[in-house]
Amino acid sequence: MKTFWLKRSCQLLLSIALLYSCTEKEKNNSSGSAGNSSLPVDITIAKSSTHSQSEAIAGTIISNRHVEITSELSKKIVTVNFKDGSFVKAGSILYKIDDADIKAKLLQLQAELDLAILNEQRLSALLKTESVRREEHDIAVAKKQALLASKQFLQDEFNKTIIRAPFNGIIGISKVFAGSYVTPGTPLTSLQEQHLLKLQFHIPEKYVKLVKQGMNISFTTVENDQKLNAKIISTDVALNNDTRSIMVQAIVSNSTGRLKPGMSAKVFFSPDKAERSGFSLPTEAVVPGEKGYSVFIISKGVAKQQTVEVVDRTDNHVLVRSGIKQGDSVLISNLLRVSEGTSVQIASINQ
């Protein structure tokens, strides 16, 4: 019996020793974790600045002038006198259409016209001496006028066999080739004026009165973030019933040729010329909530949530009017893991 109780006592002492050892280990681990619990974050320093209110509006670049080149005759194409996608000058020949039959008719008509002119001149001389009746002279004059009109008609038809560029521009890809038979209205190619382009966009109804001809605006394209300038030249006569917006067109210089019709653009329209003061912060610093916006600032190594007033916003920055002060350290990373009172450690400062 004594031996049994001795074994039980040893087992109990061993269990107590093991429990104490595990407790001390957990305390040590907990102590070590507490020393490294600060969350690494990136911050930016709040600096006061002034900004003008700007609306970012989607727009499209279109050609200043654009025409579809078509045929006015039912004939065969003889020659194509341009290289697809090249620059052509106003008046340069684009297509030559078969004109053999028109030339033959013109030669025949010219012979008849020459004879009619001689006949009219002869009868005019005889009329002065009253050797012929005035009716004969009048018939000769009428025939000459009819032949002149027929010649003018054929000359116009002949002129249509030469298709010229109506203005300077970039010619498109030809849809027909030498030997192709075309009819009136057949699309041959397109021509676009591109040294000047138009920027087309729509602005909301509330800004209609602020749009003036001659107003300067800026825009960017997908292929380049550099801001380019344009000048408003016209607005549509009425608002769109569905969107309650009005179409605006601005003229854009394209001397470098970097812009192409059809490109999308982001237009920066400033309805309010007055500058607004505040603190410019990256958009990722601001946290939206039910009661507005807030940011986290660092005070003595601890994150503190602060409600702010946002007065302007772009894709990359927000302008905060109140809620922070000059020199505050504002968190811009790990915001999803931060809450009021979280211990943080600054990893980097975004200038």
Side-chain angles (χ1 to χ4, degrees), residues 162-183:
I162 302 175
I163 301 178
R164 301 178 183 272
F167 49 81
N168 294 345
I170 304 298
I171 198 73
I173 297 175
S174 180
K175 298 179 177 66
V176 296
F177 308 95
S180 299
Y181 186 83
V182 296
T183 57

Side-chain angles (χ1 to χ4, degrees), residues 13 16 63 151 189 263 275:
L13 289 174
I16 293 173
S63 55
K151 180 183 177 182
T189 187
M263 278 185 171
E275 290 187 333

Side-chain angles (χ1 to χ4, degrees), residues 73-321:
L73 302 174
S74 296
K75 291 183 177 296
K76 284 185 178 181
I77 297 291
V78 176
T79 56
V80 179
N81 297 318
F82 63 88
K83 183 179 179 181
D84 293 348
S86 63
F87 174 81
V88 296
K89 292 184 177 181
S92 59
I93 298 176
L94 303 178
Y95 295 96
K96 185 69 178 71
I97 296 177
D98 183 27
D99 59 5
D101 58 335
I102 298 178
K103 283 183 176 179
K105 290 179 181 179
L106 277 172
L107 288 174
Q108 180 184 354
L109 191 61
Q110 185 62 52
E112 294 177 7
L113 180 60
D114 291 342
L115 182 59
I117 292 174
L118 289 175
N119 188 44
E120 188 268 334
Q121 290 174 348
R122 181 177 61 83
L123 290 176
S124 293
L126 291 175
L127 184 62
K128 292 178 182 179
T129 61
E130 297 183 354
S131 300
V132 295
R133 293 178 301 171
R134 180 168 293 276
E135 291 176 288
E136 295 181 48
H137 176 264
D138 291 344
I139 292 173
V141 171
K143 184 176 182 180
K144 183 187 75 171
Q145 294 298 330
L147 290 172
L148 283 172
S150 297
K151 180 183 177 182
Q152 184 61 51
F153 174 78
L154 283 177
Q155 188 62 53
D156 290 341
E157 291 291 288
F158 177 78
N159 293 338
K160 292 176 182 178
T161 64
I162 302 175
I163 301 178
R164 301 178 183 272
F167 49 81
N168 294 345
I170 304 298
I171 198 73
I173 297 175
S174 180
K175 298 179 177 66
V176 296
F177 308 95
S180 299
Y181 186 83
V182 296
T183 57
T186 299
L188 307 181
T189 187
S190 61
L191 178 66
Q192 295 189 354
E193 183 183 45
Q194 293 191 14
H195 71 282
L196 283 178
L197 296 173
K198 289 178 182 177
L199 177 61
Q200 185 170 286
F201 57 98
H202 292 77
I203 62 168
E205 181 180 4
K206 61 182 178 180
Y207 297 140
V208 169
K209 292 183 178 179
L210 300 177
V211 178
K212 305 293 182 183
Q213 287 190 10
M215 180 186 293
N216 292 319
I217 58 173
S218 59
F219 69 97
T220 60
T221 61
V222 173
E223 60 94 22
N224 198 318
D225 290 334
Q226 180 183 355
K227 285 190 176 182
L228 304 174
N229 297 319
K231 181 179 289 186
I232 293 177
I233 57 172
S234 62
T235 58
D236 209 347
V237 295
L239 275 71
N240 184 291
N241 291 333
D242 297 325
T243 62
R244 298 300 176 189
S245 62
I246 194 167
M247 184 173 70
V248 181
Q249 286 188 343
I251 199 73
V252 181
S253 174
N254 189 36
S255 56
T256 60
R258 62 184 291 185
L259 302 175
K260 297 294 183 183
M263 278 185 171
S264 61
K266 183 183 292 183
V267 183
F268 300 98
F269 174 72
S270 300
D272 186 3
K273 294 299 182 183
E275 290 187 333
R276 301 187 177 193
S277 59
F279 299 93
S280 179
L281 300 176
T283 52
E284 57 266 26
V286 178
V287 180
E290 295 181 359
K291 298 182 179 180
Y293 296 97
S294 63
V295 298
F296 284 98
I297 61 175
I298 296 179
S299 178
K300 298 179 180 180
V302 176
K304 179 182 179 183
Q305 192 167 14
Q306 185 70 40
T307 301
V308 294
E309 180 187 3
V310 175
V311 293
D312 196 12
R313 187 183 187 103
T314 66
D315 289 345
N316 301 317
H317 292 85
V318 294
L319 187 65
V320 173
R321 175 183 290 171

Side-chain angles (χ1 to χ4, degrees), residues 8-26:
R8 293 290 294 175
S9 298
C10 290
Q11 290 176 352
L12 181 61
L13 289 174
L14 182 60
S15 298
I16 293 173
L18 289 173
L19 179 61
Y20 177 78
S21 175
C22 290
T23 302
E24 287 298 317
K25 186 175 182 180
E26 288 179 0

Side-chain angles (χ1 to χ4, degrees), residues 47-58:
K47 297 178 182 178
S48 61
S49 60
T50 57
H51 293 266
S52 296
Q53 184 183 6
S54 179
E55 294 275 352
I57 302 172

Side-chain angles (χ1 to χ4, degrees), residues 55-72:
E55 294 275 352
I57 302 172
T60 303
I61 295 173
I62 62 176
S63 55
N64 186 39
R65 287 190 288 179
H66 173 222
V67 295
E68 289 291 330
I69 305 297
T70 61
S71 171
E72 296 183 76

